[in-house]
Amino acid sequence: MSATILIVDDDAEIRELLELLLSGEGYAVRQAESGEAALAMLDSGIDLVILDVMMPGLSGYKTCAYMREVSNVPILFLTARSMDTDLTLGFSAGGDDYLAKPFSNAELLSRVKALLRRYHVYGGKEEVQGDGYLAAHGLRVNRRFNEVFKDGYEISLTELEYQMLRLMLEHRGKIFSAENLYESVWGEPYFSVSANTVMVHIRKLRAKIEDDPQNPQIVKTVWGKGYRVE
């Protein structure tokens, strides 16, 4: 069955162009002209959201944050800006990927296919349970506050450990660089020494959630790139 994509942009011409491109690839497309309209349209039938950042009323970031309260659907941000701070804001709000305008049709389609593949391969629709928990690898993580269970037993994480784990669980399969994690979780500018801070916290997190911290199966290192939860 074809995936359904929700396009959210206040520019009608962009919405029409995206619909033409995506429908030509066999996707079903819905359109929303604002964040408010998108929230009203969001349901379990949506497989991907393409969300403009700069919109009147609710911004793309705020719309994304509200969506994350009820859904784990992948969200691709579209923006005319591509600063690292914008990337961090997007991840902090719950976005999965970020595409700066102008972009090629091939690049957009490649991102769309990758997000949909990751969503379905990693069971995105089942990741957020009805009780508001993220579940994977024997873990149950409360999305609203620091409450984490491993194989049914509650484990104690620091707030920073919890925030890192939740961020990576919400975006399973996505590689987070040390800079992404530091600026998203610590909320401070990244410097070269910050990489050691992230590494130490990753090590402490693994000691609490991994069966064998020396051979981690949950939070994996992608050498030269960062960390991810598969």
Side-chain angles (χ1 to χ4, degrees):
M1 186 170 62
S2 173
T4 299
I5 299 174
L6 175 61
I7 300 169
V8 189
D9 199 304
D10 60 311
D11 188 322
E13 184 176 348
I14 291 178
R15 294 198 309 271
E16 292 297 332
L17 287 172
L18 289 174
E19 178 165 3
L20 185 64
L21 174 64
L22 294 167
S23 61
E25 293 292 316
Y27 298 115
V29 177
R30 300 183 193 176
Q31 293 189 23
E33 73 281 0
S34 67
E36 293 86 348
L39 291 172
M41 296 174 65
L42 185 65
D43 57 34
S44 60
I46 302 294
D47 296 284
L48 172 70
V49 177
I50 297 178
L51 181 59
D52 187 42
V53 168
M54 304 299 291
M55 295 186 294
L58 279 182
S59 70
Y61 295 137
K62 289 183 179 179
T63 302
C64 177
Y66 284 129
M67 287 181 171
R68 279 292 168 256
E69 293 182 0
V70 297
S71 174
N72 201 44
V73 65
I75 295 173
L76 172 63
F77 278 118
L78 296 184
T79 178
R81 305 165 68 183
S82 59
M83 299 292 290
D84 286 344
T85 51
D86 295 318
L87 182 65
T88 299
L89 280 172
F91 286 143
S92 298
D96 293 275
D97 207 348
Y98 208 94
L99 191 57
K101 302 173 184 176
F103 49 81
S104 69
N105 292 349
E107 185 177 16
L108 174 70
L109 290 173
S110 175
R111 301 289 184 91
V112 165
K113 291 174 182 177
L115 285 171
L116 287 171
R117 182 170 60 251
R118 185 187 306 151
Y119 185 51
H120 291 295
V121 166
Y122 292 113
K125 286 193 172 182
E126 286 73 44
E127 265 181 33
V128 177
Q129 300 179 346
D131 54 6
Y133 285 80
L134 293 160
H137 301 289
L139 296 172
R140 291 182 74 244
V141 178
N142 194 311
R143 296 189 68 249
R144 294 184 179 274
F145 56 89
N146 187 347
E147 182 184 57
V148 180
F149 297 88
K150 167 73 172 177
D151 296 329
Y153 294 92
E154 188 167 4
I155 57 177
S156 178
L157 300 184
T158 67
E159 187 63 21
L160 290 171
E161 291 164 356
Y162 162 74
Q163 294 289 348
M164 285 197 302
L165 178 61
R166 189 187 70 178
L167 181 64
M168 289 187 284
L169 269 177
E170 286 179 333
H171 309 288
R172 287 173 64 185
K174 185 167 190 62
I175 300 170
F176 284 90
S177 67
E179 182 175 0
N180 291 155
L181 285 173
Y182 190 81
E183 294 191 345
S184 296
V185 173
W186 275 258
E188 299 174 0
Y190 178 86
F191 298 99
S192 57
V193 294
S194 306
N196 288 332
T197 300
V198 172
M199 183 174 63
V200 168
H201 281 77
I202 288 287
R203 185 163 61 240
K204 290 180 177 178
L205 174 62
R206 283 171 170 164
K208 295 178 179 180
I209 67 171
E210 299 279 0
D211 293 331
D212 178 5
Q214 300 305 314
N215 183 31
Q217 299 301 305
I218 302 174
V219 179
K220 294 192 173 182
T221 298
V222 182
W223 297 110
K225 295 183 179 181
Y227 307 92
R228 71 178 172 197
V229 172
E230 295 185 337

